[in-house]
Amino acid sequence: DGGITQSPKYLFRKEGQNVTLSCEQNLNHDAMYWYRQDPGQGLRLIYYSQIVNDFQKGDIAEGYSVSREKKESFPLTVTSAQKNPTAFYLCASSTGAGVGYTFGSGTRLTVV
Amino acid sequence: ILNVEQSPQSLHVQEGDSTNFTCSFPSSNFYALHWYRWETAKSPEALFVMTLNGDEKKKGRISATLNTKEGYSYLYIKGSQPEDSATYLCAFYSGAGSYQLTFGKGTKLSVIP
């Protein structure tokens, strides 16, 4: 079955360490997205990519980096520059603009 | 940053009751309004993508209406069942040269058996 896989489901890291969250899709979708959720907040866009080898900053890109070397993969690196990295991270994909997203199941990152 | 508001933040209803909640969004530069259902420990699931003023969409016991002129959408659930318990998200798309959706904070629905 087609879908989006995020791994791992839970991730613990020490403060000051970079960490990479995986997002893989086999839906042949061109666009992929990373959102962050904090308690009491809506989903906020970190980065998105409309096509391979291209990506754009979202509303809260500081302290994060991404790559889009393959259509299927859009990994997110949370760097030590991100001041409050503990959060729930959701990856999504879509066929294009304005159409419904397909979401992964998320990664909960805890930095101690 | 665009403002998308959902109300109420949470509600509890008895099984069999019908309910509705609201999503408010900017009435200018409208392209599409999305509704998603997010059950605990699962991925958000797309319910509707609405683009036309006055549009009404239906999926089983769930329906949604759209008013782009005044900037709101209603989601209705008829005869709520425990399996309807979830957080319902709306998301606004302005079509302004990017694929970005702006999400509301969601309405958390709990259906009491």
Side-chain angles (χ1 to χ4, degrees):
Chain A
D1 287 338
I4 294 186
T5 302
Q6 287 188 246
S7 60
K9 196 166 184 175
Y10 299 95
L11 192 53
F12 296 87
R13 279 294 181 269
K14 290 185 179 179
E15 195 171 337
Q17 289 182 335
N18 291 355
V19 59
T20 298
L21 281 56
S22 170
C23 179
E24 303 277 333
Q25 55 103 354
N26 60 3
L27 300 165
N28 200 34
H29 285 175
D30 284 318
M32 296 186 75
Y33 316 83
W34 275 104
Y35 282 86
R36 169 180 170 144
Q37 188 190 41
D38 295 282
Q41 300 246 18
L43 296 175
R44 293 184 292 166
L45 182 67
I46 305 171
Y47 268 98
Y48 67 98
S49 168
Q50 296 180 185
I51 200 165
V52 174
N53 293 322
D54 183 61
F55 49 83
Q56 306 293 329
K57 292 182 180 180
D59 298 321
I60 55 165
E62 187 176 346
Y64 299 98
S65 66
V66 293
S67 63
R68 187 85 188 277
E69 296 175 3
K70 297 186 299 181
K71 190 175 188 177
E72 302 79 19
S73 179
F74 192 40
L76 174 74
T77 297
V78 185
T79 75
S80 56
Q82 169 50 232
K83 294 178 182 177
N84 297 295
T86 294
F88 184 75
Y89 292 87
L90 263 181
C91 179
S93 71
S94 71
T95 55
V99 299
Y101 283 8
T102 301
F103 282 93
S105 55
T107 293
R108 186 166 297 281
L109 173 64
T110 303
V111 175
V112 296
Chain B
I1 296 179
L2 301 170
N3 197 30
V4 178
E5 300 283 344
Q6 290 190 248
S7 62
Q9 191 173 348
S10 66
L11 74 163
H12 294 77
V13 301
Q14 290 292 136
E15 182 175 353
D17 286 350
S18 294
T19 188
N20 65 85
F21 22 94
T22 307
C23 173
S24 300
F25 52 85
S27 55
S28 59
N29 299 319
F30 176 87
Y31 190 97
L33 193 284
H34 296 212
W35 281 101
Y36 292 86
R37 173 169 59 197
W38 194 359
E39 295 179 65
T40 302
K42 293 188 178 180
S43 308
E45 171 198 0
L47 287 173
F48 307 114
V49 178
M50 308 179 78
T51 56
L52 299 175
N53 184 44
D55 204 4
E56 181 171 343
K57 299 226 174 189
K58 191 173 181 181
K59 187 175 183 178
R61 293 178 291 98
I62 303 177
S63 61
T65 60
L66 179 68
N67 184 323
T68 60
K69 294 188 189 305
E70 296 183 40
Y72 64 84
S73 176
Y74 293 136
L75 190 79
Y76 299 90
I77 302 178
K78 185 177 178 182
S80 302
Q81 298 297 308
E83 58 265 30
D84 296 327
S85 296
T87 296
Y88 291 83
L89 300 174
C90 71
F92 172 80
Y93 176 62
S94 67
S98 85
Y99 291 5
Q100 179 175 347
L101 292 181
T102 301
F103 284 83
K105 295 180 182 180
T107 293
K108 185 173 183 179
L109 173 67
S110 300
V111 181
I112 304 162

